Amino acid sequence: MSNAYVIVLTGNIVNFVAGTVLTWSSPELDKLANDTETPFRYPIDEDERSWISSLFPLGSIFGPFIFGYLADVIGRKNTLLTCGVPFVVCYLLMAFGTEIWIFYLARFFLGVVLGGVFTVIPMYVGEVAEDTNRGALGSMMNVFLCSGLFFAYCVGPYTSVMVFNLILAVFAIIFLPTFYFLSPETPQYFISKGKYKEARESMQKIRGSTVNVDYELDAIQKKSKEDGKGNIMDIYRSKALTKALGISVGLVFFQQFSGINAVLFYAQTIFKKAGTSIKPEICSIIIGGVQFGTSFLTPLIADRLGRKVLLLVSAVGMVIAEVPLGIYCYLDSHGTNMSSVSFLPIVCLIAYIITYNFGFGPLPWAVMGEIFPANVKSIASSITAGFCWFCGFLIAKYFAAISDAIGMGPSFWIFSGFCAAAIPFTMFFVVETQGKNVDEIQKELDS
């Protein structure tokens, strides 16, 4: 087995930290709105709650462009190390901050860094992996992300605001030396800079000291010379690259409008409004546990069944899960006694998380990392991730207000409609990337 597995696992520690950012608001917002637990002089109101939730996806819109640029200038490895430092600083600010503007600032910059991580990690993994294990290694991003989500759900409700943020800062600190010493820069970056000796050393470390890496290095070097240095206009001049960007952007659009961030950010609020008999914080832990457990499915089957099959099953499953959830919430809000099926919201959300998690959760990022050639990968990845988090911001900022206006039930029906629309998009527009190198994928897109 090549060293790529250890290298990717080490790099993905930063995704654990990113996962805690995603679900931080679920256990913490109620504390900030509580007279006895808030670190502020007064409890936060609904508008302040929505800004604390939504400022991080707002920041994530800008992160891909900043860190995508840095990935080409200082390398994938150094860019990921650069991402680690703001995680530490922002969590320390929220551990000791006593003014709401400090939390606004920290959440915004956590978003900037998160956008960078979601851009650069797929690039790094896509360049470290081989054609035969790229799906599995690309999907590991979701495993670590979900472990961070689960950790926040489990620890957040039972610790103070200060203690919780200090714990999260420690994980960010652990990432920095671990990744620095155990993971190399990618050969593709070195070749793009004309550093062929360093590229060989990097490839040898990734594949193993006894493996002959000449053929792979020659192929990367040849491809780099053919493509040259890319820019955004190269994407629109090429039929294949334009289609690749459309696929990548389309997948993250349907990922976000499946409702995932509404579920993650407002999990406890959703369960309270749904009127389930189980404590909201326990429901959140169950959801996080299911998401963490099922995150291991995709790395095991992505390179066997292919991306399209998993995406289609995922979209169908999310529709089946969200429609009855919407019916339950609608009937409950209109006075129907739902006590006999009070378990239904947790069952529906478990089904939703399972089907999301082996398809539209990890695979849009895996496909993004493998569908673009190296010369435009950082530009295309930045556009995709920036668009993703623009959609995430809209949902985080306005979901609570819209669900208050039209009800939780119709809100989930809207999400299910987007999931239904993802089915024909996947069938007719997404190309299968399983077991193919980037040249083969580009030729298929150009046909």
Side-chain angles (χ1 to χ4, degrees):
M1 184 177 71
S2 73
N3 297 326
Y5 289 90
V6 175
I7 291 166
V8 169
L9 290 173
T10 305
N12 270 303
I13 295 173
V14 76
N15 263 320
F16 173 91
V17 183
T20 65
V21 178
L22 284 169
T23 48
W24 180 93
S25 59
S26 183
E28 297 304 285
L29 287 178
D30 283 346
K31 295 179 196 171
L32 299 180
N34 187 298
D35 285 320
T36 59
E37 294 183 279
T38 183
F40 311 137
R41 293 188 300 273
Y42 58 88
I44 61 172
D45 59 28
E46 284 300 319
D47 186 58
E48 290 166 331
R49 284 172 70 106
S50 71
W51 276 114
I52 289 175
S53 287
S54 61
L55 275 171
F56 111 74
L58 180 64
S60 297
I61 298 171
F62 304 100
F65 300 97
I66 298 169
F67 290 99
Y69 171 77
L70 287 176
D72 276 346
V73 175
I74 65 174
R76 284 57 159 146
K77 176 181 178 177
N78 287 331
T79 301
L80 287 171
L81 288 169
T82 304
C83 288
V85 176
F87 277 132
V88 177
V89 174
C90 290
Y91 275 131
L92 289 177
L93 282 173
M94 292 195 295
F96 297 106
T98 56
E99 299 288 340
I100 195 166
W101 67 265
I102 296 175
F103 279 65
Y104 285 163
L105 190 70
R107 289 287 288 171
F108 178 81
F109 280 104
L110 281 171
V112 173
V113 181
L114 187 83
V117 169
F118 272 65
T119 304
V120 183
I121 277 285
M123 293 167 57
Y124 184 82
V125 174
E127 293 175 355
V128 166
E130 300 170 79
D131 293 343
T132 54
N133 61 17
R134 200 173 54 231
L137 290 178
S139 301
M140 286 304 297
M141 173 179 176
N142 196 49
V143 174
F144 279 80
L145 194 70
C146 291
S147 64
L149 304 177
F150 187 40
F151 183 85
Y153 280 141
C154 289
V155 177
Y158 306 107
T159 54
S160 67
V161 174
M162 175 186 286
V163 170
F164 184 49
N165 285 290
L166 285 174
I167 292 170
L168 300 182
V170 169
F171 282 108
I173 292 169
I174 290 170
F175 163 72
L176 293 169
T178 307
F179 185 63
Y180 178 81
F181 288 111
L182 294 182
S183 297
E185 183 54 80
T186 69
Q188 284 85 343
Y189 169 74
F190 283 131
I191 287 174
S192 73
K193 298 298 180 183
K195 298 180 178 181
Y196 302 112
K197 179 183 176 183
E198 290 88 344
R200 173 174 291 278
E201 291 172 353
S202 171
M203 183 65 81
Q204 208 72 69
K205 183 172 182 178
I206 295 166
R207 300 289 179 252
S209 57
T210 60
V211 176
N212 188 331
V213 298
D214 290 341
Y215 177 80
E216 192 172 359
L217 279 173
D218 289 343
I220 295 170
Q221 189 173 339
K222 180 183 176 183
K223 182 65 178 171
S224 179
K225 287 180 179 178
E226 287 176 356
D227 293 336
K229 184 172 177 60
N231 57 55
I232 191 168
M233 293 311 299
D234 290 330
I235 296 176
Y236 297 104
R237 293 189 191 107
S238 164
K239 175 184 174 183
L241 291 177
T242 302
K243 287 171 71 174
L245 184 62
I247 290 168
S248 196
V249 166
L251 287 175
V252 297
F253 171 82
F254 287 115
Q255 179 197 68
Q256 290 300 306
F257 279 90
S258 73
I260 184 60
N261 281 333
V263 173
L264 296 180
F265 297 173
Y266 295 101
Q268 293 190 196
T269 304
I270 289 170
F271 286 120
K272 283 179 181 177
K273 289 186 176 180
T276 181
S277 58
I278 309 172
K279 288 184 178 180
E281 63 270 23
I282 300 300
C283 291
S284 297
I285 291 172
I286 293 171
I287 291 296
V290 170
Q291 189 161 15
F292 174 62
T294 54
S295 67
F296 291 93
L297 288 174
T298 308
L300 296 175
I301 60 180
D303 289 316
R304 298 180 183 179
L305 298 180
R307 293 21 161 191
K308 285 189 72 167
V309 171
L310 294 177
L311 286 167
L312 285 169
V313 173
S314 178
V316 172
M318 289 189 293
V319 172
I320 294 171
E322 289 188 304
V323 169
L325 177 60
I327 293 172
Y328 175 97
C329 293
Y330 179 82
L331 293 175
D332 183 68
S333 66
H334 284 73
T336 304
N337 185 355
M338 305 296 290
S339 59
S340 61
V341 287
S342 61
F343 59 86
L344 191 61
I346 188 74
V347 171
C348 289
L349 281 180
I350 286 173
Y352 167 79
I353 289 294
I354 290 172
T355 51
Y356 170 86
N357 221 30
F358 66 69
F360 270 89
L363 290 181
W365 304 109
V367 170
M368 184 187 80
E370 60 192 3
I371 204 170
F372 297 106
N375 66 323
V376 296
K377 186 174 286 187
S378 63
I379 300 168
S381 298
S382 298
I383 293 170
T384 301
F387 178 76
C388 171
W389 290 111
F390 172 72
C391 296
F393 166 71
L394 293 178
I395 292 169
K397 177 65 179 141
Y398 298 109
F399 171 75
I402 291 172
S403 64
D404 285 342
I406 66 173
M408 194 72 74
S411 299
F412 279 108
W413 290 336
I414 292 171
F415 289 141
S416 69
F418 283 111
C419 294
I423 297 170
F425 176 82
T426 302
M427 288 179 66
F428 299 115
F429 293 101
V430 176
V431 297
E432 182 55 70
T433 59
Q434 177 192 9
K436 300 174 185 175
N437 60 41
V438 69
D439 278 341
E440 294 168 332
I441 296 168
Q442 286 292 305
K443 285 176 183 176
E444 184 175 345
L445 287 168
D446 203 33
S447 62

